[in-house]
Amino acid sequence: MKKVFDTSKIVHRTNGNPEMVTFDSDKPFLCFNTDFQICDCNELFTNIFNIGKKEVLSINLTKYIQNNKFIETVKKAGTNGVSTFHGKVKFGTRLSQVYLEAILFSAYMENLNATGIRCYVLESNIVTSELKTNQRSQISFAGLQSDFYASVSVHDAEGRAIYISPSIESLLGYSSLEFKDMDPFFLVYPEDVPIVKNAIEQLSNGSNYLNSRYRMVHKNGAVKYVESTSYLISDASGAANHIVNVTWDLSSQQGISQALRISEQKYYRLVMNLPIGVSMISPNGQLLEANESMRKIMRIPTELPLSELNFLSFDVMNKSGIGAQFRRCIEIKEIVDGEVSIKLSSKTSVKFLAYNFVPILNLNGEIESVIGYVSDLTQQKKAERDSLERADFLNLVINAIKTPFFVKDEDHKWVILNNAAVDMMGHPREALIGKSDYDLYPMEQADVFWKYDELVFKQGSSSNEEKITWHNGSIHTILTHKQLYIEKPLGKRFIVGTIHDITRYKNIEEELRASEKKYHELFDNANDFILTTDIDGNITNANHTLLRYLKTDIKSITKLNVFNLIKEDQVGFANEIKVKMLNGVSNLTFDIKAYGVDKRDIIYEVKASLISRNGLPVGLQCLFSDITKHKEARMALEKYNASLLELNETKDKFFSIIAHDLRNPFSSLMGFSEMLLEDLEENSQDEIRESLKMIYSVAKNSFNLLENLLAWSRLETGHMPFVQDRVVLTDSIEEIINVLFSMAYRKKIRISNLVEPEIILSADKNMLNIILNNLVMNAIKFTPNGGHIKIYAQPDISEPGSGRDLIKISVADTGIGMNDELREKLFVSNRLVSNPGTEKEQGSGLGLLITSEMIEKHGGKIMVESSPGNGAIFSFLIPAYHDSANS
């Protein structure tokens, strides 16, 4: 067997001891000196990455910050003798990004007389500014090509994994860490373990290259059929050092092959039984395949073998021009199609054929064969001709009718319209055929037309009066007569109808009716109240709406003066309106307070106008309505709008505070992180530790703010459940102390839980923990180093005789305290207050607002006692728990 690896020599350092090892120099590699400068590479590397060797040798890895991870791997190879890498590397300005999977060895390069690092490329993914696309180079030590994605792994001489490519993880479902701690034969199907052991043994005995097929077991239990190509990396004595496996998943290959065979069988049977003629023709015209339909269309005898037939030898093909079209398909290498009329023999009638030639190209772009499709259109053409003749006669008849005439199909679409109907609709015939009423008329009209059409399909006929919008936008009244027609033998149903425009007659009828009822409808049946008075205000008439509203009759109301119906303080205002109208101001609208039924106070909106006779004012006409409820609603709405405006201003201010407090910590985080990254290698451990402390502090404050914001949001929108249950207070306090222990420990603050175990609350445990967490964390924030926080509770006696048993819980600190002005702002939502803590800890003030709302949800309240320099005591009331079984 030809060896895969040549006799190139390099030094492989193991634990500091140099060993001569043999590698395959015919595979892509590059070398680095101790300054991380590329000092050598082979031609295969430059060809794969499309980069000149001169440009490669000018590259220093340290020039690009993106190479930090790769540099660490190179260092590791120099220390340990070998290392593996998978990730991104930047080689230069033209290669914007290179993804590598590689194995690196510490080596002595004889041509350079120096020790360096040699890197062998296992797999790569290249993006260049020239190509603008991803190119996947599947590279292995064997350099094998495959239609399936290869997975790469590197093992020690005992078979244990020291490098696993991501594709191996995907193939078997285990992570790299799981592989490295795993027995090398654990993943092999039990019956195939001897195959793998035999392969390792052969490699150990001197074989440099080995192929084997066996089964492996996925993490989910599925069995995977694989093929592995194994390569030995050995030292000069022949002892095995490392084994490289290139593994292919054969499961999908077998499935694809089977699916292709089934698919080919299906499509072959389908093509051979198609009613359309299908044939396959070689470039020189030889018939290779032809289905039964093609033989029938072309009059090819069944017993005549295709091998004896040449498409271009048919005289009729050349005379009809089909042969020339076939040659054109061969010439231009594109689909050619068309229709032709031919006589296949002197005894047959003319046939109409449609043909398509589809070229099939091989990998070199040359025509391998041509698929020919032929359809016999003879019957279709005859039917079309007969249909056109009948249609011409029918059109002549229906267009002679001067009344609009139409035919609709079962989908309510127009199929026939005579000239009179087209003129009526005002659109070209081609714009109407195939359209329904919904395409031409408003929906409310189309709904009516559709309903009456359905009536024809059910009853056989219909005569209806309908409204229709004419082409000029005017609405006409039409009388339609429709009849059901059923076409034999298919049983298709059609509506045949005529249209008569009766708009003129309907308009005359409507005008007569309107003139009779005009005054009665306007006055008596108006929705608003109407009354008339003489010039002195005496009521002369009133409509029925007003009479019903006042629960009176016309005889009684005409005995009154209009001033009897309005409130006394409005009489002067009413007289002013009257004077204005007499002075020429017309059609005034105003509100006036009056008496309603049972002397109820009401407000009318009044529209008043003068009644004149012979040019002189003789009275007033007032149209008015009761707007009392509208007025009250308007006032309530104005009040509500004012409240809503205030609420919106509060929310705007609240969210502006939150947005500001959220943005600042993240700016700090990014600033600290950027400083830490830029000076990472120059900073001492103490400087790095201090930077991390600052980053942690900012992150902790941001997290607390987000926690409070989430709690407030859920509380405000009603998405936070509230379930009161039995809660042992001292247990909840201990939980909070444990959570906040590290925060207090850093400031050397002692927290004392002085609550007795027998104090039990009726509370929502989740909300109680949030309340305690916010108050204790607030106390830590404002208590200096070495301070003391006490938590105690006792029955509340502030509301004797209230019938409620409450527990007063207090959190007292020895912090910096606060003044009265600050204390009054603590729990006001539109005045969120946040001061820095004793160590400049930041906050938003949101925590105390949430705490207050949650306490109020329990039916309690929160109180603060504090003065500057004397600490603070935050106390709140929560209902005590009573056992219903013992009460």
Side-chain angles (χ1 to χ4, degrees), residues 166-184:
S167 50
I168 286 282
E169 298 178 22
S170 175
L171 175 65
L172 297 176
Y174 293 93
S175 68
S176 297
L177 293 176
E178 290 175 310
F179 273 110
K180 291 180 180 179
D181 296 334
M182 195 177 291
D183 183 277

Side-chain angles (χ1 to χ4, degrees), residues 26 55 100 143 194 205 225 285 429 452 501 640 736 758 796:
D26 193 32
E55 184 177 353
L100 290 183
N205 291 335
Y225 288 84
R429 180 178 277 101
Y452 287 134
D501 185 3
Y640 175 76
I736 299 305
E758 60 267 23
D796 177 61

Side-chain angles (χ1 to χ4, degrees), residues 820-879:
D820 293 343
E821 181 182 358
L822 179 59
R823 192 172 65 250
E824 291 175 359
K825 298 177 181 178
L826 286 179
F827 305 107
V828 182
S829 63
N830 64 344
R831 300 175 68 184
L832 289 178
V833 177
S834 174
N835 289 333
T838 58
E839 292 187 354
K840 309 302 181 183
E841 302 99 319
Q842 296 299 318
S844 66
L846 180 59
L848 287 179
L849 178 61
I850 294 172
T851 298
S852 175
E853 292 186 9
M854 288 184 174
I855 292 171
E856 290 175 1
K857 200 166 186 69
H858 283 81
K861 63 180 180 179
I862 188 167
M863 301 148 283
V864 184
E865 299 174 46
S866 181
S867 60
N870 294 319
I873 302 174
F874 283 79
S875 301
F876 62 97
L877 303 179
I878 294 291

Side-chain angles (χ1 to χ4, degrees), residues 5 9 111 143 217 237 240 286 330 334 372 378 453 582 654 852:
F5 303 103
K9 303 294 184 179
N111 59 332
V217 182
S237 65
Q286 179 65 44
I330 297 293
E334 293 181 2
T378 306
D453 286 351
L582 293 175
F654 171 78
S852 175

